[in-house]
Amino acid sequence: MSVQAQASQHFRRYVLRVGLLLVALYFVHKGDVWDSLRGTIRNVIPLDAVGSTVANDSISSGSAEVLELTRQLQARDEEVVRLHRRLATLTHFRERFGESYPRAVPARVIYRRDTHTLRRSITVDRGSVDGVHVGAPVIWGAGLVGLVKVVSSSSSDVLLITDADCRVDALVRNSGPKGRPGSPVGGILVGNPPAGCRLEFVPRTAKGISKGAVIYASGWRGRIPVDLVLGTVLSVSPGNNPSLIEVEVDPAVDVDHLSEVVILLRQDTSQQPENSSR
Amino acid sequence: MKWFRFLVLLSVALVVQRSFGDRMEVYGSRPDFVLILALHLSLCAGSGLIFGAQWVAGLARDLFGIGVLGLSACLFPLLGTLASRLGRDLYAHHPLTRLVLSFLVALQVELTFSFVLFLKAEHLDLFSLFAQGFGSAIYTALVALILYRLLDMWPALEARTR
């Protein structure tokens, strides 16, 4: 190869490298615009579904074809559930919480890392300039993700419901005699890291609490919308306290694998000055 | 063939990161499998593959992870090329060289991410972000040493089956 051809090849290579870096810098600069691309690619390539399948080791046997079809089916199922939740969250939230929460702010998770085993929180890219305030409920699908704990101008920390410090007033609706609605059973939903919750202060005399029962937010003090789903009962055991039972709860939302959430706001505070920051 | 092998490995790294990254977390530090793959390219693969492949690895990390889109795509090729050149001068196949270079590159990536995150979410504590980044860099370098051994075995297997 001649010297001129080599120089030309080197030049092309450098141009290509500079071009790739410029594209990457453009992504950094216009990150918000390309977030939709990120969402589309995640939808097309269901890596999350493959990942959860691998992690849960749910497919343990079968021929290669069955294995592949099962994987595809699971990936589709998870995608359908995810899309359904997004639809429910972004489109129908007004129907459900529109009166008490006229405004919902979609937010992207930008950080998720906890230094303590009892702590569970995420950082989202919306802050006081978007009207977010401390205590605002954060949802995904029909379930509660957590509560806003710290707010700065352009970002917020969300205390997840699986955090040991998170407390949510909850209730379980049971059916009374002849299918009529019975009296609801109240309790406090407490985070039980790493991925679960407990329903505390449930009296031993309470009826209707069994595996699979749905737990709702009670809406007491108006902190969280009434009837927002918190989770389902995993197990009920007698516990150490003679007058209470221990209820393990599976959260309605897989809070450890969220990439986007919706923050519910009571009133349109986007035009107000910053009123809550650490 | 190189690209095919790389894309297969990248897919595996992304799935492993997604499946086991959270489970391997220790005090907020977790290994970065995509970075380990990119570093393996720097220290072991031919120079023709490094820049473009690391750009693809960085972009994939950005697309399937959280954080600022494009930052890994920027950092991986630059730091990878630097690590490759340093590795060439410092005997890249020696475990100590690999450990030190992996740690330095991982630390640089983590610190840059922490700083960008600090600029974006100003209520976060920069010192604790840096501390977590430091922990993750050590964790990544230690896991990398084990995975490099596994990754080194693949070309040998490929040669045996030809």
Side-chain angles (χ1 to χ4, degrees), chain B residues 109-150:
Chain B
V109 170
E110 290 288 343
L111 293 186
T112 309
F113 265 87
S114 299
F115 190 68
V116 171
L117 192 70
F118 173 72
L119 294 178
K120 203 170 171 62
E122 63 267 32
H123 67 278
L124 293 174
D125 178 28
L126 186 62
F127 180 75
S128 71
L129 286 174
F130 277 179
Q132 283 182 6
F134 192 81
S136 290
I138 293 175
Y139 200 172
T140 299
L142 291 174
V143 173
L145 262 194
I146 301 164
L147 291 183
Y148 289 157
R149 299 281 296 177
L150 294 173

Side-chain angles (χ1 to χ4, degrees), chain B residues 36-121:
Chain B
I36 290 171
L37 175 64
L39 276 168
H40 182 261
L41 283 178
S42 297
L43 300 175
C44 307
S47 61
L49 190 66
I50 291 173
F51 201 93
Q54 290 191 334
W55 187 84
V56 172
L59 193 65
R61 184 184 189 263
D62 288 332
L63 283 171
F64 291 101
I66 57 172
V68 181
L69 185 63
L71 197 56
S72 303
C74 239
L75 283 175
F76 277 25
L78 292 175
L79 292 172
T81 309
L82 188 67
S84 172
R85 294 200 175 162
L86 281 173
R88 224 178 292 155
D89 297 335
L90 297 171
Y91 189 47
H93 289 275
H94 195 283
L96 194 62
T97 308
R98 289 179 167 193
L99 182 73
V100 172
L101 283 178
S102 303
F103 169 70
L104 290 177
V105 172
L107 185 65
Q108 186 61 51
V109 170
E110 290 288 343
L111 293 186
T112 309
F113 265 87
S114 299
F115 190 68
V116 171
L117 192 70
F118 173 72
L119 294 178
K120 203 170 171 62

Side-chain angles (χ1 to χ4, degrees), chain B residues 26-43:
Chain B
V26 178
Y27 294 109
S29 303
R30 62 182 75 163
D32 189 334
F33 293 101
V34 181
L35 179 62
I36 290 171
L37 175 64
L39 276 168
H40 182 261
L41 283 178
S42 297
L43 300 175

Side-chain angles (χ1 to χ4, degrees), chain A residues 41 58 68 94 103 139 159 169 176 190 201 216 238:
Chain A
I41 289 177
S58 54
E68 176 59 21
R94 281 186 192 281
R103 197 162 163 251
I139 64 168
L159 188 72
D169 303 308
V190 181
F201 305 109
Y216 300 92

Side-chain angles (χ1 to χ4, degrees), chain A residues 13-14 16-21 23-25 27-29 31-32 34-35 37-38 41-42 45 47-48 50-52 54-56 108-117 120 123-125 150-157 256-259 278, chain B residues 11 14-16 18-20 22-23 25-30 47-48 50-53 55 59 61-75 77-78 81 85 110 114 116-117 119-125 128-129 132-133 136:
Chain A
R13 190 178 290 172
Y14 277 109
L16 180 68
R17 288 178 178 187
V18 170
L20 288 175
L21 284 178
V23 170
L25 283 172
F27 279 136
V28 174
H29 182 61
D32 290 343
W34 291 98
D35 274 348
L37 172 75
R38 183 188 256 176
I41 289 177
R42 281 183 179 182
I45 307 171
L47 201 66
D48 290 356
V50 178
S52 61
V54 172
N56 295 330
R108 195 163 60 83
V109 178
I110 57 172
Y111 189 61
R112 179 181 51 229
R113 201 174 278 186
D114 297 294
T115 50
H116 197 281
T117 49
R120 284 290 177 269
T123 303
V124 297
D125 65 345
V150 180
V151 179
S152 64
S153 60
S154 60
S155 61
S156 309
D157 269 8
D256 287 334
H257 293 101
L258 288 171
S259 55
R278 198 164 66 172
Chain B
S11 308
L14 286 166
V15 170
V16 169
R18 179 70 196 170
S19 312
F20 302 109
D22 292 347
R23 295 177 185 208
E25 187 176 301
V26 178
Y27 294 109
S29 303
R30 62 182 75 163
S47 61
I50 291 173
F51 201 93
W55 187 84
L59 193 65
R61 184 184 189 263
D62 288 332
L63 283 171
F64 291 101
I66 57 172
V68 181
L69 185 63
L71 197 56
S72 303
C74 239
L75 283 175
L78 292 175
T81 309
R85 294 200 175 162
E110 290 288 343
S114 299
V116 171
L117 192 70
L119 294 178
K120 203 170 171 62
E122 63 267 32
H123 67 278
L124 293 174
D125 178 28
S128 71
L129 286 174
Q132 283 182 6
S136 290

Side-chain angles (χ1 to χ4, degrees), chain A residues 128-129 267-275:
Chain A
S128 56
V129 293
Q267 53 199 351
D268 193 348
T269 51
S270 60
Q271 302 305 316
Q272 291 180 4
E274 291 179 27
N275 54 2

